mmCIF file of all heavy atoms in Angstrom:
data_model
loop_
_atom_site.group_PDB
_atom_site.id
_atom_site.type_symbol
_atom_site.label_atom_id
_atom_site.label_comp_id
_atom_site.label_asym_id
_atom_site.label_seq_id
_atom_site.Cartn_x
_atom_site.Cartn_y
_atom_site.Cartn_z
ATOM 1 N N ALA A 404 84.003 105.064 115.899
ATOM 2 C CA ALA A 404 83.698 105.558 114.567
ATOM 3 C C ALA A 404 84.773 105.260 113.516
ATOM 4 O O ALA A 404 84.559 105.356 112.341
ATOM 5 C CB ALA A 404 83.436 107.072 114.607
ATOM 6 N N TYR A 405 86.003 104.888 113.987
ATOM 7 C CA TYR A 405 87.141 104.730 113.037
ATOM 8 C C TYR A 405 87.417 103.269 112.736
ATOM 9 O O TYR A 405 88.528 102.923 112.352
ATOM 10 C CB TYR A 405 88.382 105.430 113.612
ATOM 11 C CG TYR A 405 88.168 106.893 113.919
ATOM 12 C CD1 TYR A 405 88.550 107.428 115.137
ATOM 13 C CD2 TYR A 405 87.571 107.741 112.973
ATOM 14 C CE1 TYR A 405 88.361 108.787 115.437
ATOM 15 C CE2 TYR A 405 87.355 109.082 113.261
ATOM 16 C CZ TYR A 405 87.753 109.588 114.498
ATOM 17 O OH TYR A 405 87.540 110.941 114.772
ATOM 18 N N TRP A 406 86.416 102.393 112.959
ATOM 19 C CA TRP A 406 86.608 100.987 112.612
ATOM 20 C C TRP A 406 86.301 100.798 111.122
ATOM 21 O O TRP A 406 86.948 99.952 110.464
ATOM 22 C CB TRP A 406 85.668 100.118 113.475
ATOM 23 C CG TRP A 406 85.887 98.677 113.248
ATOM 24 C CD1 TRP A 406 85.078 97.763 112.589
ATOM 25 C CD2 TRP A 406 87.011 97.851 113.688
ATOM 26 N NE1 TRP A 406 85.618 96.503 112.600
ATOM 27 C CE2 TRP A 406 86.817 96.535 113.267
ATOM 28 C CE3 TRP A 406 88.180 98.157 114.395
ATOM 29 C CZ2 TRP A 406 87.698 95.493 113.523
ATOM 30 C CZ3 TRP A 406 89.063 97.141 114.663
ATOM 31 C CH2 TRP A 406 88.837 95.826 114.226
ATOM 32 N N TYR A 407 85.378 101.551 110.564
ATOM 33 C CA TYR A 407 85.005 101.509 109.150
ATOM 34 C C TYR A 407 84.557 100.114 108.746
ATOM 35 O O TYR A 407 83.780 99.487 109.428
ATOM 36 C CB TYR A 407 86.140 102.037 108.257
ATOM 37 C CG TYR A 407 86.549 103.426 108.598
ATOM 38 C CD1 TYR A 407 87.834 103.701 109.162
ATOM 39 C CD2 TYR A 407 85.677 104.509 108.404
ATOM 40 C CE1 TYR A 407 88.222 104.985 109.488
ATOM 41 C CE2 TYR A 407 86.066 105.846 108.752
ATOM 42 C CZ TYR A 407 87.338 106.046 109.272
ATOM 43 O OH TYR A 407 87.701 107.308 109.594
ATOM 44 N N ARG A 408 85.145 99.563 107.635
ATOM 45 C CA ARG A 408 84.753 98.240 107.168
ATOM 46 C C ARG A 408 85.822 97.222 107.594
ATOM 47 O O ARG A 408 86.910 97.236 107.053
ATOM 48 C CB ARG A 408 84.628 98.223 105.658
ATOM 49 C CG ARG A 408 83.445 99.037 105.150
ATOM 50 C CD ARG A 408 83.243 98.830 103.669
ATOM 51 N NE ARG A 408 82.394 99.862 103.122
ATOM 52 C CZ ARG A 408 82.294 100.168 101.835
ATOM 53 N NH1 ARG A 408 83.002 99.467 100.955
ATOM 54 N NH2 ARG A 408 81.515 101.114 101.416
ATOM 55 N N ALA A 409 85.467 96.366 108.549
ATOM 56 C CA ALA A 409 86.367 95.335 109.045
ATOM 57 C C ALA A 409 87.688 95.939 109.512
ATOM 58 O O ALA A 409 88.740 95.250 109.450
ATOM 59 C CB ALA A 409 86.622 94.287 107.952
ATOM 60 N N GLY A 410 87.687 97.162 109.994
ATOM 61 C CA GLY A 410 88.899 97.771 110.495
ATOM 62 C C GLY A 410 89.697 98.565 109.470
ATOM 63 O O GLY A 410 90.747 99.085 109.806
ATOM 64 N N PHE A 411 89.200 98.638 108.217
ATOM 65 C CA PHE A 411 89.905 99.329 107.154
ATOM 66 C C PHE A 411 89.053 100.505 106.635
ATOM 67 O O PHE A 411 87.858 100.338 106.416
ATOM 68 C CB PHE A 411 90.213 98.404 105.973
ATOM 69 C CG PHE A 411 91.227 97.332 106.293
ATOM 70 C CD1 PHE A 411 90.821 96.153 106.905
ATOM 71 C CD2 PHE A 411 92.566 97.522 105.974
ATOM 72 C CE1 PHE A 411 91.761 95.160 107.201
ATOM 73 C CE2 PHE A 411 93.506 96.544 106.262
ATOM 74 C CZ PHE A 411 93.119 95.364 106.891
ATOM 75 N N SER A 412 89.657 101.626 106.421
ATOM 76 C CA SER A 412 88.973 102.759 105.752
ATOM 77 C C SER A 412 89.118 102.568 104.238
ATOM 78 O O SER A 412 90.245 102.582 103.724
ATOM 79 C CB SER A 412 89.605 104.067 106.157
ATOM 80 O OG SER A 412 89.326 105.103 105.172
ATOM 81 N N PRO A 413 88.002 102.381 103.534
ATOM 82 C CA PRO A 413 88.119 102.186 102.063
ATOM 83 C C PRO A 413 88.855 103.331 101.351
ATOM 84 O O PRO A 413 89.718 103.116 100.504
ATOM 85 C CB PRO A 413 86.655 102.072 101.605
ATOM 86 C CG PRO A 413 85.909 101.623 102.831
ATOM 87 C CD PRO A 413 86.621 102.244 103.989
ATOM 88 N N ALA A 414 88.508 104.593 101.727
ATOM 89 C CA ALA A 414 89.110 105.754 101.061
ATOM 90 C C ALA A 414 90.582 105.820 101.411
ATOM 91 O O ALA A 414 91.437 106.024 100.518
ATOM 92 C CB ALA A 414 88.425 107.049 101.524
ATOM 93 N N GLY A 415 90.958 105.641 102.669
ATOM 94 C CA GLY A 415 92.361 105.701 103.082
ATOM 95 C C GLY A 415 93.195 104.629 102.438
ATOM 96 O O GLY A 415 94.305 104.876 101.977
ATOM 97 N N THR A 416 92.683 103.366 102.435
ATOM 98 C CA THR A 416 93.447 102.254 101.889
ATOM 99 C C THR A 416 93.624 102.442 100.375
ATOM 100 O O THR A 416 94.747 102.250 99.848
ATOM 101 C CB THR A 416 92.682 100.934 102.149
ATOM 102 O OG1 THR A 416 92.436 100.843 103.556
ATOM 103 C CG2 THR A 416 93.457 99.755 101.679
ATOM 104 N N ALA A 417 92.546 102.826 99.654
ATOM 105 C CA ALA A 417 92.627 103.005 98.195
ATOM 106 C C ALA A 417 93.608 104.120 97.853
ATOM 107 O O ALA A 417 94.388 104.008 96.913
ATOM 108 C CB ALA A 417 91.262 103.262 97.609
ATOM 109 N N ALA A 418 93.522 105.228 98.583
ATOM 110 C CA ALA A 418 94.389 106.394 98.307
ATOM 111 C C ALA A 418 95.842 106.021 98.572
ATOM 112 O O ALA A 418 96.731 106.409 97.810
ATOM 113 C CB ALA A 418 93.994 107.582 99.170
ATOM 114 N N LEU A 419 96.077 105.285 99.648
ATOM 115 C CA LEU A 419 97.465 104.862 99.948
ATOM 116 C C LEU A 419 98.033 103.981 98.864
ATOM 117 O O LEU A 419 99.172 104.176 98.404
ATOM 118 C CB LEU A 419 97.498 104.111 101.293
ATOM 119 C CG LEU A 419 98.857 103.563 101.766
ATOM 120 C CD1 LEU A 419 99.823 104.731 102.045
ATOM 121 C CD2 LEU A 419 98.682 102.710 103.016
ATOM 122 N N LEU A 420 97.243 103.056 98.371
ATOM 123 C CA LEU A 420 97.666 102.138 97.298
ATOM 124 C C LEU A 420 97.930 102.901 96.012
ATOM 125 O O LEU A 420 98.873 102.667 95.267
ATOM 126 C CB LEU A 420 96.619 101.040 97.073
ATOM 127 C CG LEU A 420 96.527 100.000 98.176
ATOM 128 C CD1 LEU A 420 95.314 99.079 97.943
ATOM 129 C CD2 LEU A 420 97.781 99.183 98.309
ATOM 130 N N THR A 421 97.095 103.908 95.729
ATOM 131 C CA THR A 421 97.271 104.758 94.503
ATOM 132 C C THR A 421 98.592 105.494 94.575
ATOM 133 O O THR A 421 99.378 105.513 93.628
ATOM 134 C CB THR A 421 96.117 105.776 94.403
ATOM 135 O OG1 THR A 421 94.885 105.075 94.417
ATOM 136 C CG2 THR A 421 96.247 106.621 93.130
#
Side-chain angles (χ1 to χ4, degrees):
Y405 304 130
W406 186 252
Y407 303 112
R408 291 188 196 163
F411 291 84
S412 158
T416 305
L419 179 64
L420 290 172
T421 305

